[in-house]
Amino acid sequence: MFEEEKALVEGKISAYCQQQQLPNLPLEWRAIPFSGEWGMAIPLFALAAKAQSFDPKLPIPQRAQALAQDVAQTLQGLKGFSRIEAVRGYVNLYFSTSEYAQRVVTEVLEHADDFGSADPSGNKTMVEYSQPNTHKSMHVGHLRNVILGGAVANILESAGDQVIRANYIGDIGLHVIKWLCNYELYHLGEQPGEDKTRWMGDLYTEADRRFHDDPGFETAVRKYFARWDRQDPDVVALWEQTRQWSLEGFYQIYEVLGERFDRVYFESEVEESGKVFVDSLIQAGLAIDERPEGPVYVNLDELLGKKEEYRVAVVLRSDGTSLYATKELPLAVMKFEEYDINRSIYVVDVRQSLHMKQIFKVLELMNYRWSGNLYHLAYEIVNLPGNVTMSSRDGTIVLLDDLIRESTQRALEIVHQKNPDLQEELKLEIARDVAIGAIKYPMLARENTKVVTFDWQTALDFNGQSAPYIQYAHVRAGSILRKAGIEASFDVRFSADLEPAEINLVELLSKLPAEVLRAARELKPSYLATYAYDLAKAFNDFYNQCPVLNAPGPVKAYRLALVRASRHCLKNSLHMLGIKAPDVM
RNA sequence: GCCCUUGUAGCUCAAUGGAUAGAGCACCGGACUUCUAAUCCGAUGGUUGCAGGUUCGAGUCCUGCCAGGGGCACCA
């Protein structure tokens, strides 16, 4: 938007610089702060610093201001701008507000549900996230990964990428064997109840405790592992059955969270190919095989001539069984071969940064052409107040199911109060959308690199900077449109003097496409979370200051258009965050 | 020891190298006969951990220090 006008200004300034024998520096466009008016600014400090014509004793800000005055003079009367002035070293160019508002709102209404989405980028990106372990619980700590990964996938999609959502489920390993062994010894024949994940998790905690406290049990687990390794049919059958219970529980949770996956990888699926991959590492002379006395490992620091940077990556146990790294390597290859992607993003918590770095480096040493296109999207963990790490063994966890149930219950009480006449089913649906939104928002609204401290009070707070606040603005917009009726006229011809609240709102509407691209480029949903809140706040300001339905005819018409455009932007930004926008609350 | 990361209002957090560092929560005082009060308005609250440096300009970039968190060979 306004590219023509910008080009015109840049041309003029370039000519001015040439005429004044000033260096031709690239211009920087910025928003003007404190504006009740919409415009763009150009700082002239850099130019002033380079200009020869000034007294060297004159401070730069003063030179910049002199220059700005001069430039503003030469730009006077330029078409498309209502006012051009020099302030504190900046040239401020104000757009004629009605024309600006008209352009923005027209564009939003034309694109409607697609406003904010970019044209296809040609990129095919896989985002791997969630990665739960079967036979374990899902707690709030795991939630951040799912929410972050889902939002990143949505945002990349909106930014024009073709996105493949992948999950990588840990369905085998020592934790599973512990569970199976404990089940066979102490719980044989028992079935999970309604909440499968909780039940599986409880049994895991029990097994894990036995494993640590009871040496006899540990021996039993080792024997059990050997049975798994020779694929004892009873063990395999039990594994298949119990794994299924876990998966059913996970899919229930994903459905509640509104997440779906295009491809689910399993660790069991890449176990064998991992061992083959390790063989090729040995043959390539990259890995050192010390079996049976030691493991198979890649001494990355030695290969790269580094010290204490990449360290040593162990890729196979000395007994020949597989490790995390063993499976991760062929999985990376599989992703590129299966989907012909050109970028692979791993949403994995920050504690695994070194491991991810090692795996990427090993793949690079194997000369995969795509090895430069692997990204670890690291995020910090979720702690409990007092910096307590969630641990099922210590019982310091908040189960997802408990959180969702409690949050939904609270939301439902409010819906009952505010909209007693709605159908019960609809009330529950609204309460779910609000509850899930309230849970998701705080995990998205901060930097990925910052620890989230979970506390019940904040999680259940539906006021202030929160998803319900944004959802509520959306509901208000919808409510106005509904009351206006279908025969209402939506006219995007704006009057010359708009209220500051209207200008501010229009400005925010115009920013959505750029914010989406920025969030996609940096893989930071927090930008959009902040944006959505700012937009909702701007809409609430407008709502309070500018009556719509009772406004005079022409004003009502353009305000209705503005409300409709706002509603699209609120909804679109919420959806990208993976948060639903209900019509009534 | 080496590496990563965080440090901004009482608390939780924003701020694309630019103009006067902003929100929410909490606390205090107001606004529902109104397009839904899950809202709004007002008040209070700051040496951006410390010290240098780069820059016309630093919360933001660089160096050092302090403090918290995390990681560093067969867990994932």
Side-chain angles (χ1 to χ4, degrees):
Chain A
M1 264 180 268
F2 287 92
E3 296 312 316
E4 273 177 46
E5 284 83 353
K6 281 188 185 176
L8 204 62
V9 169
E10 285 174 7
K12 284 257 189 187
I13 293 180
S14 171
Y16 169 85
C17 288
Q18 204 157 26
Q19 187 200 333
Q20 301 289 318
Q21 299 185 335
L22 290 167
N24 214 342
L25 297 177
L27 293 176
E28 197 188 329
W29 289 86
R30 315 198 55 82
I32 305 174
F34 325 118
S35 61
E37 227 179 324
W38 199 83
M40 295 291 285
I42 305 171
L44 290 179
F45 300 95
L47 197 58
K50 295 279 191 309
Q52 304 291 323
S53 55
F54 288 101
D55 178 353
K57 275 181 282 192
L58 198 63
I60 300 281
Q62 285 183 34
R63 295 192 223 173
Q65 175 60 12
L67 206 53
Q69 275 169 3
D70 226 19
V71 170
Q73 196 59 44
T74 70
L75 293 175
Q76 283 311 316
L78 210 58
K79 198 171 150 287
F81 299 98
S82 62
R83 198 151 58 86
I84 297 170
E85 58 183 23
V87 181
R88 306 180 71 159
Y90 294 81
V91 176
N92 290 349
L93 302 102
Y94 295 93
F95 289 111
S96 79
T97 51
S98 55
E99 191 190 335
Y100 167 65
Q102 187 173 323
R103 279 205 216 178
V104 171
V105 173
T106 302
E107 187 152 329
V108 176
L109 294 181
E110 269 172 10
H111 291 86
D113 286 347
D114 288 329
F115 182 74
S117 296
D119 294 332
S121 65
N123 284 327
K124 200 168 180 184
T125 306
M126 179 175 282
V127 183
E128 180 202 294
Y129 61 103
S130 191
Q131 308 115 334
N133 282 329
T134 61
H135 302 76
K136 282 194 183 183
S137 61
M138 280 258 242
H139 58 68
V140 174
H142 300 114
L143 194 59
R144 188 173 188 182
N145 186 304
V146 183
I147 291 167
L148 176 62
V152 164
N154 294 340
I155 288 166
L156 289 175
E157 217 158 53
S158 291
D161 281 19
Q162 191 183 333
V163 174
I164 294 126
R165 291 149 206 269
N167 198 342
Y168 179 42
I169 296 182
D171 62 341
I172 193 57
L174 185 59
H175 72 278
V176 176
I177 302 298
K178 276 192 267 187
W179 194 101
L180 294 174
C181 184
N182 184 63
Y183 179 83
E184 193 164 288
L185 289 174
Y186 303 100
H187 297 276
L188 198 60
E190 288 177 28
Q191 300 269 324
E194 183 67 17
D195 187 346
K196 296 189 175 77
T197 308
R198 179 192 303 264
W199 184 80
M200 298 292 293
D202 286 347
L203 283 195
Y204 177 74
T205 306
E206 181 188 309
D208 191 49
R209 193 167 290 141
R210 273 210 176 96
F211 190 77
H212 282 84
D213 298 347
D214 175 1
F217 183 68
E218 194 191 324
T219 312
V221 169
R222 299 286 169 208
K223 280 184 188 156
Y224 208 91
F225 213 148
R227 284 173 69 195
W228 164 260
D229 261 354
R230 59 173 187 267
Q231 295 289 289
D232 178 323
D234 291 342
V235 176
V236 172
L238 183 62
W239 173 71
E240 278 171 353
Q241 173 64 67
T242 55
R243 170 184 184 271
Q244 191 56 32
W245 290 338
S246 260
L247 294 179
E248 282 163 16
F250 292 163
Y251 291 131
Q252 274 172 16
I253 289 169
Y254 292 138
E255 189 169 339
V256 171
L257 292 176
E259 291 298 334
R260 57 172 185 82
F261 294 93
D262 301 307
R263 174 68 157 103
V264 179
Y265 295 100
F266 292 96
E267 281 194 34
S268 58
E269 185 183 351
V270 281
E271 197 173 17
E272 286 315 306
S273 50
K275 292 175 183 172
V276 174
F277 195 98
V278 168
D279 281 341
S280 68
L281 278 175
I282 297 167
Q283 272 170 23
L286 293 170
I288 297 162
D289 185 0
E290 291 185 344
R291 284 175 293 175
E293 286 77 29
V296 181
Y297 62 93
V298 182
N299 192 336
L300 285 162
D301 273 341
E302 198 175 282
L303 287 168
L304 298 163
K306 305 271 187 186
K307 263 192 164 173
E308 300 196 58
E309 189 177 341
Y310 288 93
R311 315 256 170 183
V312 168
V314 175
V315 291
L316 202 65
R317 284 198 189 92
S318 44
D319 64 4
T321 55
S322 65
L323 290 157
Y324 167 78
T326 320
K327 302 166 215 166
E328 200 67 61
L329 291 164
L331 177 62
V333 179
M334 202 167 164
K335 287 174 174 179
F336 279 88
E337 286 179 351
E338 253 186 38
Y339 289 95
D340 193 29
I341 52 175
N342 51 13
R343 184 161 64 148
S344 187
I345 295 171
Y346 295 75
V347 183
V348 177
D349 97 58
V350 69
R351 291 173 297 189
Q352 293 176 46
S353 293
L354 178 59
H355 303 268
M356 297 308 299
K357 197 168 134 182
Q358 290 178 333
I359 283 159
F360 294 172
K361 191 50 91 175
V362 170
L363 290 164
E364 191 186 314
L365 290 171
M366 289 294 276
N367 288 319
Y368 286 100
R369 62 183 160 76
W370 38 258
S371 62
N373 303 332
L374 302 163
Y375 297 89
H376 173 206
L377 175 50
Y379 64 93
E380 263 291 358
I381 58 170
V382 180
N383 277 348
L384 293 169
N387 219 13
V388 175
T389 307
M390 289 198 200
S391 150
S392 41
R393 195 184 307 163
D394 301 337
T396 51
I397 54 170
V398 176
L399 289 176
L400 230 53
D401 191 62
D402 292 336
L403 174 59
I404 292 168
R405 189 183 309 117
E406 183 65 29
S407 185
T408 307
Q409 190 52 42
R410 293 268 186 121
L412 193 56
E413 281 166 25
I414 299 173
V415 179
H416 270 299
Q417 278 169 27
K418 299 189 58 135
N419 292 290
D421 300 335
L422 292 178
Q423 288 190 344
E424 291 306 313
E425 204 174 312
L426 184 57
K427 281 183 194 164
L428 188 62
E429 195 184 318
I430 295 163
R432 281 229 175 84
D433 292 348
V434 170
I436 299 292
I439 292 167
K440 285 185 172 185
Y441 189 84
M443 303 225 169
L444 294 168
R446 54 194 23 56
E447 291 268 359
N448 301 331
T449 49
K450 282 191 173 160
V451 174
V452 168
T453 302
F454 175 87
D455 72 280
W456 281 96
Q457 204 189 332
T458 312
L460 298 177
D461 189 357
F462 300 150
N463 301 314
Q465 185 165 4
S466 65
Y469 178 95
I470 303 162
Q471 290 168 321
Y472 187 59
H474 174 264
V475 164
R476 280 178 150 182
S479 179
I480 291 176
L481 296 173
R482 211 166 30 248
K483 291 221 162 123
I486 28 168
E487 71 281 2
S489 62
F490 294 82
D491 190 343
V492 291
R493 277 174 305 173
F494 284 74
S495 78
D497 46 327
L498 294 174
E499 296 292 325
E502 292 174 300
I503 310 257
N504 190 34
L505 182 55
V506 169
E507 181 173 350
L508 277 159
L509 297 180
S510 75
K511 280 181 174 170
L512 180 57
E515 284 300 300
V516 173
L517 291 178
R518 192 161 75 101
R521 190 173 58 242
E522 298 182 39
L523 305 178
K524 285 184 182 175
S526 63
Y527 292 152
L528 266 183
T530 304
Y531 169 85
Y533 172 72
D534 288 343
L535 179 62
K537 191 168 176 55
F539 182 80
N540 277 328
D541 281 348
F542 164 80
Y543 184 92
N544 278 285
Q545 288 167 39
C546 306
V548 178
L549 297 178
N550 294 325
V555 176
K556 177 176 173 179
Y558 76 67
R559 281 187 180 162
L560 278 174
L562 184 51
V563 170
R564 184 181 267 182
S566 303
R567 187 164 176 270
H568 283 305
C569 286
L570 286 164
K571 189 177 182 180
N572 296 355
S573 45
L574 281 173
H575 281 175
M576 280 182 244
L577 295 170
I579 297 172
K580 288 191 177 149
D583 292 318
V584 188
M585 275 170 75

